[in-house]
Amino acid sequence: MSHVFGRSCAKQLPIVASGEGVFLTDTDGKRYLDACGGAAVSCLGHGNRALVDAVKHQVEQIAYAHTSFFTSEPAETLAARLVALAPGDIDKVYFVSGGSEAVEAAIKLARQYHVENGDDKRTEIIARTQSYHGNTIGALSAGGNLWRRRQFEPLLSHSMHHIDPCYYWRWAEPGETPEAYGQRVAAQLEDKINELGAERVAAFIAEPVVGATLGAVAAEPGYFKSIRDICDRYGVLLILDEVMCGMGRTGYFFASEAEDIEPDIVCIAKGLGAGVQPLGATLCSRTIFDAVAGGTGFFQHGHTYLAHPTACAAGVAVLETLTAESDDGGNLVSGVRDRGELFLGLLAEALADHPHIGDIRGRGFFAGVEFVQDADTRQPLDPAMRFHAKLKQQAFEEGLMIYAMGGTVDGQSGDHTLLAPPFIATNDDLATIANLLRESVDALLPAA
């Protein structure tokens, strides 16, 4: 009997033994094609030699040193390289161990920025329903996933408020263009700011491409430009949560590049450490840093493993791999952008004729497939079916790892699967993912 307290008390999981490329292998020798990177983490696949060697070298030098005493060469190098890639005025990097920590730091930094400026009435944070920002109390409060929030609701912050997501396929009005819809839902931010009192709102936080809760839903054209304008108009900071969609996942190092906007604070993780080490970061503008540096001079926040040297060494190796020039003059990230449409096309070819496929969407190697009872009416499947859970298990038995979730529509109904294959996946691998997914769907919901 295992003494590990796992995610599910009822499941006995296979034991992973090894990983190579896009595959994981268990102790019985069965191989699984990792079509989701675990949770959009393993962007460079498994067993990458350069990453393993970077970690081994760093451990031999110095594995850990507390940041109240030292900085380290890997942290300094990684911060400089991230800033060089980051949009706009982003100039400082605060390293943490994962996405939830990055969001917690962002929320607290936004609050402290306003306090440092003598604007301590700004206590409210606005986010979106059907969003996910992490599982710590602050991050969970910001998130709009009803299922994750429900039992912890009494503990969550009342300073968090929510507006609708930008989810055109599901919520657009008949005849409404994508651009008009985007402007309509973006205007909800201004309405909410005025409802709360403009002098009280500290920040707005959003995922540029919504991951786990909606399934790779990107905003409509112009939406984020309007969001940026509204934030500027009212002195509200814009926090972008790129924990899942950043670090090349959508074909851009920072997902905000596709929206042509500049955040005040951006959160990254997952692909930053590529699964080789737990690593995340909160990046902020020079303006925000200067407010703290010129005020108290101290960010009142911290964790034991901030800027962990070994984790940062892995991050440096990840960036080196992502930015290495390929034979065609591009790199892995530009390759993801170029092949993203191919991936969506393969999914459409394999799945689009199935009567229970509602929508196939995404950007880069970040794709979502939404399942419905009726494709014409877009009626969700009965939540009691727990289709997403059954699909995940069926695919796993077929040797395919997918990130399937429920509650897509309103936190209760709606099923989707998220696909986030490693950037090293070949076109044949992408085709195999699409075909195995179709076989798994057919096993549960026959097409005829």
Side-chain angles (χ1 to χ4, degrees), residues 57-136:
H57 174 76
Q58 186 59 42
V59 168
E60 289 171 349
Q61 304 305 309
I62 175 66
Y64 167 75
H66 197 276
T67 50
S68 66
F69 298 97
F70 295 100
T71 185
S72 69
E73 288 186 7
E76 295 293 332
T77 299
L78 182 55
R81 293 185 181 182
L82 284 170
V83 166
L85 293 168
D89 189 34
I90 295 295
D91 192 62
K92 295 292 178 179
V93 184
Y94 188 88
F95 289 113
V96 293
S97 297
S100 295
E101 283 187 23
V103 170
E104 290 281 337
I107 292 169
K108 292 172 79 172
L109 181 58
R111 167 61 181 165
Q112 184 167 337
Y113 165 76
H114 291 299
V115 173
E116 298 280 11
N117 285 334
D119 206 0
D120 59 2
K121 290 182 180 179
R122 291 189 183 265
T123 58
E124 310 305 297
I125 305 288
I126 301 173
R128 302 188 294 184
T129 57
Q130 290 304 96
S131 61
Y132 178 66
H133 297 298
N135 262 332
T136 52

Side-chain angles (χ1 to χ4, degrees), residues 16-36:
V16 66
S18 62
E20 182 178 4
V22 299
F23 289 95
L24 290 170
T25 304
D26 66 21
T27 50
D28 291 328
K30 182 174 180 178
R31 292 210 310 169
Y32 306 85
L33 201 170
D34 187 357
C36 57

Side-chain angles (χ1 to χ4, degrees), residues 145-188:
N145 183 288
L146 294 179
W147 173 74
R148 285 184 169 95
R149 291 173 60 97
R150 188 172 295 113
Q151 70 173 320
F152 302 110
E153 197 73 46
L155 305 178
L156 303 183
S157 171
H158 296 296
S159 291
M160 304 292 181
H161 312 270
H162 297 86
I163 61 174
D164 290 340
C166 190
Y167 187 11
Y168 177 81
W169 182 81
R170 171 73 53 188
W171 298 124
E173 295 177 352
E176 191 173 27
T177 66
E179 292 80 2
Y181 171 80
Q183 294 307 301
R184 176 164 65 83
V185 292
Q188 290 185 14

Side-chain angles (χ1 to χ4, degrees), residues 168-227:
Y168 177 81
W169 182 81
R170 171 73 53 188
W171 298 124
E173 295 177 352
E176 191 173 27
T177 66
E179 292 80 2
Y181 171 80
Q183 294 307 301
R184 176 164 65 83
V185 292
Q188 290 185 14
L189 175 59
E190 186 165 23
D191 293 342
K192 181 62 72 173
I193 290 172
N194 286 320
E195 174 191 327
L196 296 171
E199 74 286 354
R200 298 181 59 228
V201 180
F204 174 68
I205 180 171
E207 301 164 87
V209 182
V210 185
T213 302
L214 281 188
V217 174
E220 299 308 317
Y223 171 83
F224 270 109
K225 277 189 172 293
S226 292
I227 291 292

